Amino acid sequence: MRLLFEQWAFSISGDCHSSSYKSDKSAIKSALSLFRVKWKLLRLKYEFFFDCYYLTEKYNASQLKKLAAYFQDIVPYFAKKASKDVDSVFLSETECKRIPRALFKHRLANNHWANRKPKKLLVVANMSAGKSTLINALVGYRLNRTKTTVCTSRICMLYNNRYNKEGIITHSNQSSFHPEIESTSSDDFTSASLRFNSSLNDRAICVIDTPGYNNVDHPEHRKTTEDFIKSNHYDAILYVADGRYMGTTDEEILLNYIHLNTQKPIFFAINQLDRMKESEDSIKKIIGDFKSHLKRMKFSNPIIVPVSAKASLFFKLGKNTLNDDDRFEYDQLSIKFSRNYFDLQAYISEAESTNPLDATGIHQLETIINNILHL
Ligand SMILES: Nc1nc2c(ncn2[C@@H]2O[C@H](COP(=O)(O)OP(=O)(O)OP(=O)(O)O)[C@@H](O)[C@H]2O)c(=O)[nH]1
Ligand SMILES: [Mg+2]
């Protein structure tokens, strides 16, 4: 706690001589009164105590009473009343006019959010179907490594963080914050939280990436994915099919495994549809054939969403963020997704797309995720 108090104080004062505090008392006094350059008013007492209580509540709620007693004992005279006011908020939910309203509002919103356990969406597919790209498209950033060769080798969880408007908090052996979201890669963490660039950005949701199932060179990938499917530590499965290779034996094996090993809702995306050609491929038929195939495999009334993960990711990122190769592809995709043939959402709903991003099917997928997970 002392370390956190110090950091809190430093974030305001800009001072970084942490060792100059000889005791808790002097650190707290400093955080409260602060020898702030040009700003000596004691305006942040309440914020300081709120933060201390939040931290204690989150990590050791049984110690809240102890914290109140500790503060009464240790805080300087000028902050005693503020400390008492905040005690009553956290210990007996008593409001107090002296406390800034914004802090109450924040606490209400925080409680509301904290009580909502995130729903978890497990994304599975065979190799290179586009799981990682689709997850990138859903969260709106390039986080998961994607390649034409094999890449994802372990489970990676991405949580939507409704409050942190910028940056990403990553967890592996230790947790860290990175202000630049795309400077991190899912190779370096096992879970992370960031605010999704998506219509799901105010929802309590976690999206889980898995390794390609049919990787003969790395049988452990199959095991990782199978173990997770069996674990039941998720609320629904999104199966990603590659629109170019449907109905393969590998696909049947994975679908069978899912069918036999989970009771959770499952729905389907057909990806990479931007690669189709109007003169050769009927997207309508691809969807229809997949539906019949799934029904034969005993998936009753399967929900199928046609998408282009790559186009949706590019359109969400914006042309300016792309390198020269990708910009060229961006232009081609923009032209494609202005044509009726590539209006993917029109294949499964009445709605006609009014912009290329809608046409990629990603918004429709987000809506379906929202409905299936009851977010
Ligand atoms: N044209 C096009 N390419 C895509 C699309 N989605 C993914 N790709 C490409 O397909 C390749 C594989 O994509 P990934 O997202 O890595 O596939 P994955 O399913 O995560 O692969 P593994 O982790 O190896 O199982 C990459 O080169 C992607 O750029 C899409 O919708 N359209
Ligand atoms: Mg992957």
Side-chain angles (χ1 to χ4, degrees), residues 182-200:
E182 292 198 346
S183 68
T184 59
S185 146
S186 59
D187 287 347
D188 309 327
F189 56 78
T190 46
S191 74
S193 72
L194 72 159
R195 187 177 163 93
F196 290 3
N197 172 12
S198 153
S199 59
L200 299 168

Side-chain angles (χ1 to χ4, degrees), residues 125-134 145-152 209-212 271-275 307-311 329:
N126 280 317
M127 274 160 57
S128 300
K131 297 173 288 298
S132 302
T133 311
L134 188 58
R145 214 152 57 106
T146 65
K147 259 206 224 144
T148 10
T149 52
V150 161
C151 38
T152 311
D209 198 6
T210 56
N271 188 31
Q272 313 225 15
L273 290 175
D274 57 280
R275 297 188 193 257
V307 286
S308 164
K310 191 174 219 174
E329 216 174 333

Side-chain angles (χ1 to χ4, degrees), residues 360-372:
T360 65
I362 196 77
H363 287 151
Q364 206 165 30
L365 181 64
E366 289 168 2
T367 307
I368 289 170
I369 291 173
N370 190 41
N371 294 344
I372 288 186

Side-chain angles (χ1 to χ4, degrees), residues 61-125:
S62 63
Q63 299 287 308
L64 279 176
K65 274 201 175 129
K66 218 168 160 185
L67 182 69
Y70 171 76
F71 275 151
Q72 281 316 300
D73 190 31
I74 205 165
V75 296
Y77 179 74
F78 65 81
K80 280 219 179 333
K81 197 178 243 168
S83 151
K84 258 207 148 76
D85 290 343
V86 181
D87 289 353
S88 337
V89 174
F90 281 81
L91 295 176
S92 53
E93 301 296 333
T94 317
E95 287 204 22
C96 163
K97 284 219 171 82
R98 283 185 291 271
I99 298 179
R101 274 211 58 73
L103 287 176
F104 279 116
K105 277 171 87 179
H106 185 260
R107 179 164 157 75
L108 276 180
N110 237 357
N111 282 350
H112 175 67
W113 185 246
N115 293 335
R116 284 167 68 193
K117 209 168 144 242
K119 295 275 182 68
K120 291 184 175 163
L121 178 67
L122 183 67
V123 182
V124 292

Side-chain angles (χ1 to χ4, degrees), residues 132-133 135-136 141-146 152 156 158 186 209:
S132 302
T133 311
I135 291 175
N136 284 342
Y141 296 95
R142 271 170 299 204
L143 286 172
N144 288 314
R145 214 152 57 106
T146 65
T152 311
C156 174
L158 295 174
S186 59
D209 198 6

